[in-house]
Amino acid sequence: MGHERIRVQVEGIVQGVGFRPFVYRLARQRQLTGWVRNTSHGVLLEAEGIRLQLDLFYTALNDEAPPLAAITSINRRIIATENSRDFSILPSSSGGGELQISPDCDVCPDCLAELFDPGDRRYGYPFINCTNCGPRYSIITGVPYDRQATTMADFSMCDDCRAEYENPADRRFHAQPNACPVCGPRLYLITATGEVVAGDPVKEAIRLLKSGKIVAVKGTGGYHLAVDPFNSPAVAELRHRKRRSEKPFALMVGDLARAGVLARLDPIEERLLAGPEKPIVLLCKREGNGIVPQVAPANDYLGLMLASTPLHHLLLRDFLALVMTSGNVSDEPVAYRDSDAVESLTGIADYFLGHDRRVHCRNDDSVIRVFQGKPIFLRRSRGYVPRSIRLHEAQQQVLAVGAELKGAICLTRGDRAFMSQHLGDLKNESNLQFLDQTVSHLRQVLSVNPKVVAHDLHPDYQSTAYAQAANQLLVPVQHHHAHMASCMAENGLEGQVLGVILDGAGYGADGTIWGGEFLLGDYRRFRRVGHFSQVPLPGGDAAVREPWRMALSHCHAVFGSDAFSLKLPVFSALADGDKRLLQRMLEQGLNSPLTSSCGRLFDGAAALIGVRSRVSYEGQAAMELEALAEKSSSEWHYPYAIVSTDEKFILDCRYIIDGLVNDLLAGEAGANMALRFHKAVAAATADVCVKAGKAHGVSRVVLSGGVFQNKLLAGEVHDRLVAKGFQVFSHRLVPPNDGGLALGQAVIAGRSDACA
């Protein structure tokens, strides 16, 4: 049997996940000698021994890797033998590289068992972790991933923890956040005025929550606001204080059994809930679950997540569920620094359950719903960031800064794209500062120094202003082209596709507001080969907050001035003077820019049917319209027309609105109208694709844009296109909404002449 020595470079998420001790144990099992170390590229090792054992060792590196590891490349080469005597773990090396960072992870089963074992020295300790679980991205301050480059540098390990940390056979070998009650972080419970509450912080917090108090709880990436979801006055008070009148609150439960009491779960949803990422998953409510209606008013779904930290598990021993909503003031980022949290959340929270382990990088909860048996992100954040997305080919380093709503940035390095956590809506100074902090942090830990910055075409977006202030080479990218490219990139597509991009609004290449688009193109260029018919947006942004305006605009497009005399409930509250003013706005184009928005079409339909004439959060009208449609089984849809003009296919929405109004005047049930509307939009969308596909010889379709968060519409469009022979591609790795836009911007910029 031959004797050899190999050098192996492993890249991916291989630091902070127990990879070095795994290699050490594997080498010892195979009687190999050599060493392993962390580098700025990942993990580097050398192993020497019998050739057969080396082959088995190399195969096991990939096949038996630790549960939190995600290997993206592994390469070996034969080198000269050294006749080393043992296998050792060497100190980390530094320098520029291509390290990938692990996301924050939930408590593993072994740590959870210890947490509730009265005989264990970490019994009830809310910061228990090992190499298979615990905080990662939120505490990392630099690379390589070692304790001194995390916020755990503030704590010196006791002798017992140090012995575990230095023992290669121990589960906590080189677990950087390793700690115990003797040497690690500690909890505290204070009032809103900063007074310390005596007693055990967890027990006292449970007592306060049971009494109806609002408690701010510090999690992995920032604060949540917790309240008892079975206490109606307490939930109402949280809504009042947070100024969040109707948007659903997320719920946290301790395990899958309790999740099943509150909602209906399928196997995919169970797997998502129970995975180490612990996202919020949108689930159908179970009737009679006891949760007060104010938790998710006018909504058939609950946003549920399982406990994601030891502290959450300890709190939930005494509750079936707790409201755990983001700890922030409306439209601002999640509070994560202790002093800032007390300052910003005082007036909302009665008490603060915090601790002295610093959060370096705030990270809100991820949100997912299941579509066609696969997850679709509504918000990609904690648990998934900063996992990379493989690109079809390597490109120059690019920073893409996204749009304005649902902000997220993207950095590229080689054939990898790294999306940031959810940043929120970039309309205020706090979120812009968050964007700047995130750019700086990711550039540092990923060793990326981009020379090109991609941004949205809209001249008034704050993200555009941020990009322009960077004093670097800029690549402006049209909003819907970026959506199309985002879906292409995550599906590894090259060449020409037909992009169906349905959303609320995006700055169009012709200066109008786009949102119901059929684009033909690739990463370098696109043509607008179709769109929804344009109508005025009366009042501009006011029409987003008041869907009745879109109802009137679409009716005016069908009936002209007669629309103002229609006996429809949505218009009954309008005074004659207001009607005359709105008629002038629509007919003269006063503060009424043209839009092809599919999102605003849904708003108008929702208002006409009586679902919602005013909204308190983005997408509310469309979400409630979808929920209503799911209560119907109507098999037909409203008529529509497709007009071919100037080498474009225009979906004339007037026929859909006319059919809806006729049903409304005839007293048809709202659920039937809602479903017929959904089916009409889906059928018309598929027919435009058929015509455009035939005209341009394209059979691949990508679906993107926030409207495709609507599971009913997305399913209808997908099934109709597949039935027509199209290959259909949807989002799975990033959200279809603007939260995934930066990926498309980054790849478009990377393929542009600026990066040539």
Side-chain angles (χ1 to χ4, degrees), residues 509-568:
D510 60 358
T512 64
I513 301 172
W514 291 7
E517 308 307 315
F518 300 84
L519 307 181
L520 180 72
D522 52 26
Y523 297 114
R524 284 184 167 272
R525 58 188 62 83
F526 75 94
R527 291 171 54 197
R528 191 189 194 196
V529 296
H531 59 82
F532 284 34
S533 54
Q534 293 181 310
V535 296
L537 190 70
D541 287 345
V544 180
R545 300 185 297 271
E546 299 177 335
W548 65 264
R549 293 174 179 263
M550 291 312 303
L552 187 55
S553 180
H554 277 287
C555 283
H556 185 266
V558 178
F559 304 106
S561 59
D562 290 341
F564 294 90
S565 59
L566 290 172
K567 303 299 182 183
L568 301 178

Side-chain angles (χ1 to χ4, degrees), residues 226-376:
V227 74
D228 182 357
F230 299 92
N231 187 325
S232 184
V235 175
E237 184 63 19
L238 176 58
R239 285 207 173 277
H240 170 70
R241 293 185 190 179
K242 204 179 179 197
R243 299 178 184 176
R244 185 168 168 171
S245 59
E246 295 175 300
K247 189 175 183 180
F249 287 141
L251 292 174
M252 181 179 283
V253 296
D255 52 43
L256 283 176
R258 282 181 273 188
V261 172
L262 303 178
R264 298 195 296 274
L265 312 176
D266 67 25
I268 303 298
E269 292 164 339
E270 288 184 359
R271 195 167 76 219
L272 287 168
L273 280 172
E277 301 87 356
K278 293 298 182 291
I280 297 170
V281 182
L282 295 191
L283 304 166
C284 289
K285 289 180 181 176
R286 194 176 289 281
E287 293 298 325
N289 61 22
I291 298 292
V292 300
Q294 298 101 308
V295 168
N299 199 311
D300 291 334
Y301 288 85
L302 288 175
L304 276 181
M305 59 180 157
L306 265 58
S308 58
T309 71
L311 176 56
H312 294 144
H313 282 282
L314 293 170
L315 287 174
L316 284 159
R317 283 183 300 182
D318 284 53
F319 296 93
L320 174 59
L322 284 171
V323 165
M324 280 283 181
T325 189
S326 300
N328 61 346
V329 179
S330 182
D331 296 329
E332 294 197 359
V334 171
Y336 74 113
R337 293 192 177 115
D338 300 327
S339 58
D340 293 343
V342 172
E343 180 180 347
S344 64
L345 298 179
T346 293
I348 301 178
D350 298 307
Y351 295 87
F352 291 78
L353 181 59
H355 55 76
D356 56 356
R357 186 181 70 201
R358 290 180 292 122
V359 175
H360 184 70
C361 191
R362 74 178 123 204
N363 213 348
D364 210 341
D365 300 310
S366 296
V367 183
I368 290 175
R369 76 184 304 182
V370 173
F371 168 60
Q372 294 184 328
K374 295 180 181 179
I376 180 170

Side-chain angles (χ1 to χ4, degrees), residues 479-491:
H479 189 92
H480 300 91
H481 186 203
H483 270 303
M484 182 177 80
S486 175
C487 192
M488 290 177 65
E490 70 164 87
N491 283 285

Side-chain angles (χ1 to χ4, degrees), residues 193-217:
T193 56
E195 298 160 347
V196 177
V197 177
D200 179 88
V202 174
K203 290 181 179 177
E204 289 302 307
I206 290 171
R207 179 183 63 80
L208 292 166
L209 287 164
K210 286 183 175 179
S211 70
K213 299 300 183 183
I214 300 168
V215 180
V217 180

